[in-house]
Amino acid sequence: MYRNSTIVEKARSPKKKAEWSEKRPARSRMDDDLESNGEQNLDRAGSEVRRLAPWRSLFNFTTKKHTVSLTLAIILSVGSGIVIPALAYLLGKVFDSFANFGAGNLEGTELVRKVNIWCLALVGLGSASWLLNGGYFMCWLVFGELQAKSVRDKLFESLVDKEMEWYDMRANGIGALISRLQTQIRDLQIATSQPLGFLTQYTVTTFAALGLALYSSWNLTLVTLATLPISALVLSFISAKMQPSIEAQEIKLTQASKIATNAIFAIDTVKCYNGQGFEIRQYSAAVANAAKCYFIQAHANASQIGFVRLATLGMFVQGFWYGSTLVHPGGKSAGQVLTTFWACLMATQAIEQILPQMIVLEKGRAAGATLKAVIVQMERGRKVTKMVGTRTPAHCDGDIEVRNVSFAYPARPDQLAISKATFFFGAGETTFVVGRSGSGKSTLGNLLMRYYTAESGDIAIDGQSLMTLDINWLRNNVTLVQQQSILFNETIFKNIAFGRRDHSNVTKREVLEAIQVALLQNTINDLPDGLDTLVSNSGNTMSGGQKQRVALARARLRDTPILILDEATSALDYISRSLVMDAIREWRRGKTTIIITHDITQIYEDDYVYVLDKGHVVQEGFRKALEDSPTGPFSTFLPDTVDPKDPIRDSEEITTYYDKSHTRAQSEGLILTSPTMSSNSRDSLDIEFPQRLGYIPSVFGSELHSRRPSQAIMTQLSPLSPPTRRFTMSPAVAMSTWSPPARSPPSGMELVDLTGRKTMASRLTAAQKLRRRLSMPIQVSTALEEGPNQRSWSKVFKKRKERPPKPSKTLRIRSIKSILSTVWPTVALKARLALLLGFFCASLHAAATPLFSWVFSKLLATFFLNSGRSKEALKWSLSVLGVALGDSTASYGMHYCLEYCGQCWIDTLRGEALQRVLDQPRSWFDRDKNSISRIVESLDRNAEEMRNLVGRFAGFLFVALTMLGIAIIWSLAVCWKLTIVGLTTAPILYAITRGFETISGKWEGRSNDASENAGSIFAETFTNIRVVRALTLENYFQNKYAKSTDEALIIGLKRAAYSGLFFGLSDSGIIFVTALIFYYGASLACKHHFSTESIITVFTMLLFSIANANAIVAFIPQISSSKDTASRLLRLSNLPLHKSHEHSGIHRLSTPGTVTFNSLNFTYPSRPGHPVLRDVSLTIPAGSCTAIVGSSGSGKSTVASLLLGLYPPDKPDITSRTPPPLTLDRIDIRAVHTPTLRSLIAIVPQSPTLFPTSVAANIAYGLSASHPHNTATNIRAAANAAGIDEFILSLPRGYETLIGDGGTGISGGQAQRIAIARALVRKPKVLVLDEATSSLDTESAEVVRESIRRLISQGNSKKGKIKTDEGMSVVIVTHSKEMMMLAQEIVVLDQGRVVQRGSYEELLRRKGEFRTLLRGGEWEGGHENTGGGPSGGEGLGIKGIEWNDRNPFEGR
């Protein structure tokens, strides 16, 4: 292809698009299935798999390395499960002795002897139980930790290898997806820990007990368990109904997480548009829908528990009646019958103990199946590592050929982003790509980085197809810097060092050199710890320009053969942008550079340009040639003809576009004759900028040649043989293209004009001029000379010890009492009634156990009868049936009502927490502990675990305490001596239990912290996956994540060891108490102090009650975990409400009136001691248009934030009588009702935010449905004014098309225009435009400017300026000269101070900071004009340096 200045006509008809669609590669049925299931909604990816998921889903991530812990856990669980049947056997022997004694068949001394033997056996069993229970508990916790580690690693590996299309197609966005994946990992970990251990143990117990029962009396066992098959069928049916509701709940919670994530991420927009109420309502509705699904689960689980309770106790009706007939001479002994009963009871109670864990196990099973389905789905789809490409050339020249490429984003498969486009980017050349917003410019960068694969056509680097190149080689030779710069949660130094693949070996000198190119020095000087300052929350405290410069410094350090800049300087002011571009041109000399931009001021006349429109290359050529075609597409980017009377031209103080000075400098061939500057005379840290002059010794008398097209010819690619480059280049072109950086002239040479006139350089040498630019040396230069081992890096590398370390604040874990005390005040009336009913049912359930014990003792007493035994047995068996019916009903009511109340409790707290989070001052979100991932985790996973405190544990605790109280009182009345002896063990058991709770709580907190840290790294990696891949940081973050999961595993293993030791002791304590009670009971029976029946009654009451109370011990780890997670959510729900500066005012303005800043000072709370605004005084009259300008980081956007009340101004000195620092209509902003204020002011931020909803809802965001401005007509009008209406109508569903996370992808410029429409639809009294046109092309920007003129103009224009008396006030924060010209007054900020103010023409005439800002300073008559600003160039980002954006040697 030849580069020429022709307009390329492309066919764009729907027929062509349809033909292209038909030619797209066919997809397999598996791909279609994956797209329909997974690519649209991850949560549905394995829905069928989850519904049919077997229990082995819990072991989906078990590896061979886990077999040791799993085998030990199973063996110890089997041993622990046998302990209970063994206890039943020993209890039967003890009771047999008491029955014989009661019947008169055994003497007292013999009773004591036999009981003592069995008590010693009980002590031995208790010791074995301690070891077995502690061991199995520890091993299962270890297994759960290993499962979590395994799934985390596999999930990370799968996600890091997934293509970008997969991320784009997440229906709920990647942020919500990550939150749900973290919750599912936690669900799987919890299920495969203690609950799975309980399931194994109690399953063994059930079968062992049944075996013992069959051995003791097979016929009695069969009669007793006759109803078991029916019970199993009923339980299976109920369980099957639970899975669909679990799946539905997950989907609803994912939607809720998506809403919360977006609301917190876009907190500035939410606050500025008063969207808090809307977000809270949306979130509350989502969690309410999830709650409906959970109520189904609670109903099913409560039904299971109630039914098992009925079956457990009801079996005594037929069992005891039949058992009483077996006790006769020659038949079964009373001990055998009791052993059979006790074994059957223990078998059914074991099943009952499993049921409370069923929800946990079901969720774990669903999580295991889901995670497995996700990973399988990702493995079936295309992966980065599986993509073709293994070539790693030894060298990259940088020739790029893009031939006939077409591509459509997966979210919009029928709309081509690039259509049959052809480009050639010559090696070592700088090429520009321009076009309107949405024309496909950024898509080109994405394809060159191989984020996506072109549907048709081919892309080649140095003649080799992109698809044949190794992906890591490609990204190590191509750097992409995008408009939205991403910083990681590392230090500034580390963020810049990431530019190099061997970032761990980057020296500070190398980083400093990169900093200088990006003009970042001044910014780093102002940071608390210089380069060692930790970037938290992705750099939210830094301005857009500062983040862009960090990204540019990172790219400079990377220094790849190919560089792609995609609007990489759009957030910089004019002078910074010009200087950075100069530095980039010098740095990139001889290297391939692609600059994607809509700002043509960066383009020189001899730069090659491609013009894109709707995905087509519609024009290409050198800028000078393109300008000669007045009807071509490029002409739409050119400015209007400048009026000859324009003060800019009259005074020659400013050139309209930056390239004119460059062109003029080259056209006036200059020769250097000054001997003052040699190639070695420059400081090592001096910034090298483009030499816009060539130098040619006068002896040759030749001319300078400007760069000409490379005339490259595209060649047919061959993947098997290295391609041959076929193009011609003139010697002059070769010299100008590949020449090294211009050196100083030979000695004795003088800089002269080719026409013979001496230039200014004869009076001031080039070196002297450069030195004067460096009149204030870079602060780190001296430090660097001190040696690499020195730490005196001035302000850049500040020692952390200079600032006193802040005391670390750990989360205060609340007590159970403190947490549960929040339930009643939180829930509504219906939930309160459910709570009361739940505890009433719990009281009945608690009373049922002592009552059953008493009836059971009566049944046992029938064995002492010699006559009428069957009749008495039937009577008391029917009594047991009555107790069973009442207890099962009470048990169902307790579980369902408390689960219902628990769900209502956490849903209310969720809503309250989000409300309070969104109500916090903006500075609160800048703290690391308040990151998005941590807040969303508290609202999602932590809340789910917190519910168990009421739904499961509160009821058990209440039942246990009530049961113990009733049993103790009853026992004291029946046999007080035996009861007192039993109670003496209570302090010991309490101390053991309390110790277990303390240890468990401590390690649960540490484990949760470690998991949270791992989750933060996981979220950071995949929310910024594009940048991670662009910098080839996959291995770094994978290693970082692996370290965090290793740390979580180590903490988990320690938790398992400590918890297992105390759990074994706590769980086996009941056996030792049983031995003590039997031993003392035998002594009392022997001495005839109490009847045998009374002693048996106390035995049964205390044993049943203590056994039920002891079951609480098993829940202590889960209770501790729930306490920790509850404390995290309660921290959010107890944040101060309406206490920030946003609620200090009550005055409701009807109009903001005149806005006045009175000696205002402001410092960001996260950076105390570093003021951003200093003594700012300015007035913005009502109905006026004011522009606030200044270099990047000068405080411009901070003014807008203060005006909207996002931050309060610093409090003035109370001793002075100055007026308030910020007033609106003479009212202190602190007295103004903030929501009212924000309803009158609309802002268009530099980085627009789109919510995951329709285009229309995005534009009308913050307006209620009944608001008069929230109409289709107004929305359409606002979109039209923003120049986005035509694009919206081209979308599949027009204004109802979903955008944002999971929706249709749109470009940065399109997003910015939607944000403008969002502001305009409100018809505000004050419109704040913060770099609102920075992402727009010239034509789109002019549409917006025209809309602004129309909106703020309510009267006549005067001298070309807008005069408004009652119209809209407009505050323009901008770097754009065209936007400045709209303003009646321009306020110039530098280093947070107002240094100039006045009209556009007036400021130009003053020759001050404003003129310097526009043109970057100038030289007049041998004197440098710096504009009189403080310290010259401090606003540039490097202290003490001032650079011209024009030719410093240009004569007058």
Side-chain angles (χ1 to χ4, degrees), residues 715-792:
T715 60
Q716 181 67 33
L717 298 179
S718 171
L720 300 177
S721 60
T724 303
R725 296 179 59 197
R726 299 177 184 173
F727 60 88
T728 61
M729 181 180 291
S730 67
V733 171
M735 181 181 295
S736 64
T737 303
W738 293 102
S739 61
R743 295 173 295 174
S744 301
S747 177
M749 287 190 175
E750 183 179 0
L751 183 63
V752 296
D753 193 314
L754 288 178
T755 62
R757 294 175 301 167
K758 283 194 174 184
T759 67
M760 175 186 60
S762 62
R763 298 187 298 272
L764 191 64
T765 67
Q768 289 171 342
K769 294 172 185 177
L770 186 60
R771 297 298 177 189
R772 291 193 58 171
R773 294 291 182 187
L774 296 172
S775 57
M776 293 181 63
I778 299 174
Q779 297 183 25
V780 300
S781 300
T782 304
L784 284 171
E785 294 170 359
E786 294 174 2
N789 297 325
Q790 300 284 340
R791 283 290 297 171
S792 57

Side-chain angles (χ1 to χ4, degrees), residues 122-145:
L122 285 172
V123 171
L125 183 64
S127 301
S129 175
W130 181 4
L131 297 176
L132 291 170
N133 279 301
Y136 102 83
F137 188 83
M138 178 179 67
C139 289
W140 280 115
L141 287 182
V142 169
F143 179 70
E145 292 289 344

Side-chain angles (χ1 to χ4, degrees), residues 849-859 876 970 1097 1100-1101:
T849 298
L851 182 60
F852 170 77
S853 302
W854 178 73
V855 175
F856 187 63
S857 66
K858 294 297 184 182
L859 276 171
W876 293 113
W970 201 329
T1097 300
T1100 55
M1101 283 191 180

Side-chain angles (χ1 to χ4, degrees), residues 949-1134:
L949 289 176
V950 171
R952 295 169 61 196
F953 307 138
F956 286 137
L957 286 171
F958 179 80
V959 167
L961 294 175
T962 304
M963 192 184 299
L964 276 176
I966 296 173
I968 289 170
I969 294 172
W970 201 329
S971 298
L972 285 172
V974 175
C975 182
W976 65 270
K977 285 187 177 182
L978 184 58
T979 305
I980 292 295
V981 170
L983 291 178
T984 57
T985 62
I988 300 174
L989 292 177
Y990 175 79
I992 295 172
T993 304
R994 186 66 176 173
F996 179 38
E997 180 186 4
T998 302
I999 293 295
S1000 179
K1002 174 184 176 181
W1003 285 99
E1004 282 290 343
R1006 292 183 179 180
S1007 182
N1008 285 336
D1009 288 339
S1011 298
E1012 192 177 77
N1013 180 53
S1016 297
I1017 298 172
F1018 188 87
E1020 181 184 24
T1021 302
F1022 295 110
T1023 52
N1024 302 320
I1025 186 63
R1026 287 177 185 268
V1027 182
V1028 169
R1029 286 182 175 170
L1031 298 175
T1032 60
L1033 291 174
E1034 294 94 335
N1035 288 337
Y1036 171 81
F1037 279 100
Q1038 192 158 3
N1039 292 334
K1040 183 179 180 181
Y1041 185 67
K1043 289 180 181 177
S1044 68
T1045 55
D1046 286 343
E1047 182 181 354
L1049 177 61
I1050 291 171
I1051 292 175
L1053 295 179
K1054 292 180 179 179
R1055 173 177 71 103
Y1058 289 113
S1059 299
L1061 176 67
F1062 279 86
F1063 173 78
L1065 184 59
S1066 300
D1067 196 59
S1068 60
I1070 183 67
I1071 301 178
F1072 296 111
V1073 174
T1074 301
L1076 176 63
I1077 292 175
F1078 278 138
Y1079 170 78
Y1080 188 66
S1083 299
L1084 293 178
C1086 177
K1087 298 175 182 178
H1088 300 285
H1089 290 175
F1090 296 92
S1091 66
T1092 303
E1093 182 180 351
S1094 298
I1095 293 174
I1096 292 296
T1097 300
V1098 172
F1099 278 164
T1100 55
M1101 283 191 180
L1102 289 181
L1103 291 180
F1104 273 106
S1105 300
I1106 294 175
N1108 278 277
N1110 192 63
I1112 298 297
V1113 172
F1115 292 112
I1116 284 180
Q1118 296 179 51
I1119 292 174
S1120 298
S1121 179
S1122 296
K1123 281 169 55 182
D1124 182 82
T1125 54
S1127 299
R1128 296 170 192 268
L1129 179 58
L1130 287 173
R1131 178 183 79 87
L1132 300 180
S1133 64
N1134 286 320

Side-chain angles (χ1 to χ4, degrees), residues 156-402:
F156 193 99
E157 291 171 3
S158 298
L159 284 172
V160 83
D161 287 340
K162 201 61 184 160
E163 74 276 3
M164 289 307 306
E165 295 177 9
W166 188 88
Y167 289 91
D168 291 344
M169 293 300 292
R170 296 308 96 216
N172 291 307
I174 191 64
L177 167 65
I178 288 171
S179 175
R180 287 308 303 160
L181 289 177
Q182 298 282 20
T183 300
Q184 287 170 341
I185 291 172
R186 179 66 175 174
D187 287 343
L188 180 63
Q189 178 184 357
I190 292 176
T192 53
S193 298
Q194 186 182 352
L196 187 56
F198 285 159
L199 177 64
T200 307
Q201 178 192 13
Y202 290 131
T203 300
V204 172
T205 297
T206 300
F207 285 103
L210 289 177
L212 177 62
L214 291 170
Y215 173 78
S216 299
S217 178
W218 64 270
N219 49 354
L220 178 58
T221 302
L222 293 178
V223 171
T224 304
L225 300 179
T227 58
L228 191 60
I230 299 175
S231 301
L233 290 175
V234 172
L235 292 178
S236 298
F237 175 78
I238 296 174
S239 180
K241 296 294 183 182
M242 200 180 297
Q243 272 297 320
S245 63
I246 292 176
E247 177 188 347
Q249 185 196 16
E250 287 180 2
I251 294 174
K252 301 300 182 184
L253 286 177
T254 302
Q255 294 173 354
S257 295
K258 175 181 177 181
I259 294 168
T261 299
N262 283 280
I264 299 167
F265 176 79
I267 186 62
D268 286 353
T269 303
V270 171
K271 283 180 173 289
C272 291
Y273 285 86
N274 290 327
Q276 297 96 320
F278 173 75
E279 298 294 341
I280 293 165
R281 288 192 297 273
Q282 228 188 166
Y283 180 77
S284 298
V287 296
N289 289 332
K292 293 177 182 177
C293 300
Y294 186 77
F295 293 149
I296 297 174
Q297 300 171 42
H299 171 70
N301 193 54
S303 299
Q304 285 181 323
I305 294 173
F307 183 80
V308 169
R309 194 70 180 170
L310 176 63
T312 300
L313 300 182
M315 68 183 184
F316 283 90
V317 176
Q318 71 268 22
F320 259 100
W321 171 79
Y322 181 70
S324 62
T325 62
L326 298 178
V327 179
H328 56 79
K332 298 293 183 181
S333 67
Q336 288 177 309
V337 172
L338 181 61
T339 298
T340 303
F341 279 139
W342 207 280
C344 290
L345 179 62
M346 287 186 172
T348 54
Q349 281 187 333
I351 297 173
E352 190 178 4
Q353 291 292 330
I354 293 173
L355 291 180
Q357 307 289 345
M358 286 306 296
I359 288 184
V360 180
L361 291 167
E362 290 283 358
K363 284 192 171 185
R365 186 177 71 162
T370 300
L371 292 168
K372 184 68 174 180
V374 170
I375 292 176
V376 168
Q377 177 214 47
M378 288 190 287
E379 289 174 347
R380 286 179 180 174
R382 288 187 293 113
K383 298 169 65 177
V384 172
T385 55
K386 298 291 179 67
M387 293 172 70
V388 178
T390 58
R391 292 188 179 181
T392 56
H395 178 69
C396 178
D397 291 326
D399 257 345
I400 302 176
E401 300 173 64
V402 179

Side-chain angles (χ1 to χ4, degrees), residues 734-885:
M735 181 181 295
S736 64
T737 303
W738 293 102
S739 61
R743 295 173 295 174
S744 301
S747 177
M749 287 190 175
E750 183 179 0
L751 183 63
V752 296
D753 193 314
L754 288 178
T755 62
R757 294 175 301 167
K758 283 194 174 184
T759 67
M760 175 186 60
S762 62
R763 298 187 298 272
L764 191 64
T765 67
Q768 289 171 342
K769 294 172 185 177
L770 186 60
R771 297 298 177 189
R772 291 193 58 171
R773 294 291 182 187
L774 296 172
S775 57
M776 293 181 63
I778 299 174
Q779 297 183 25
V780 300
S781 300
T782 304
L784 284 171
E785 294 170 359
E786 294 174 2
N789 297 325
Q790 300 284 340
R791 283 290 297 171
S792 57
W793 295 87
S794 184
K795 293 183 179 180
V796 179
F797 297 102
K798 302 176 184 178
K799 297 180 181 179
R800 292 189 180 273
K801 65 182 182 181
E802 293 176 4
R803 299 172 64 215
K806 297 180 181 179
S808 59
K809 295 182 179 179
T810 57
L811 180 70
R812 183 177 66 88
I813 307 300
R814 291 170 172 254
S815 65
I816 286 285
K817 179 181 178 182
S818 173
I819 295 171
L820 295 181
S821 65
T822 65
V823 177
W824 185 262
T826 300
V827 298
L829 178 61
K830 187 176 180 180
R832 289 182 179 182
L833 293 175
L835 182 65
L836 293 175
L837 181 59
F839 278 106
F840 173 73
C841 292
S843 302
L844 297 179
H845 178 53
T849 298
L851 182 60
F852 170 77
S853 302
W854 178 73
V855 175
F856 187 63
S857 66
K858 294 297 184 182
L859 276 171
L860 295 179
T862 60
F863 292 110
F864 306 153
L865 301 177
N866 295 321
S867 61
R869 179 183 299 156
S870 298
K871 182 179 179 181
E872 286 295 312
L874 179 60
K875 181 179 72 173
W876 293 113
S877 295
L878 292 175
S879 300
V880 168
L881 179 60
V883 173
L885 287 171

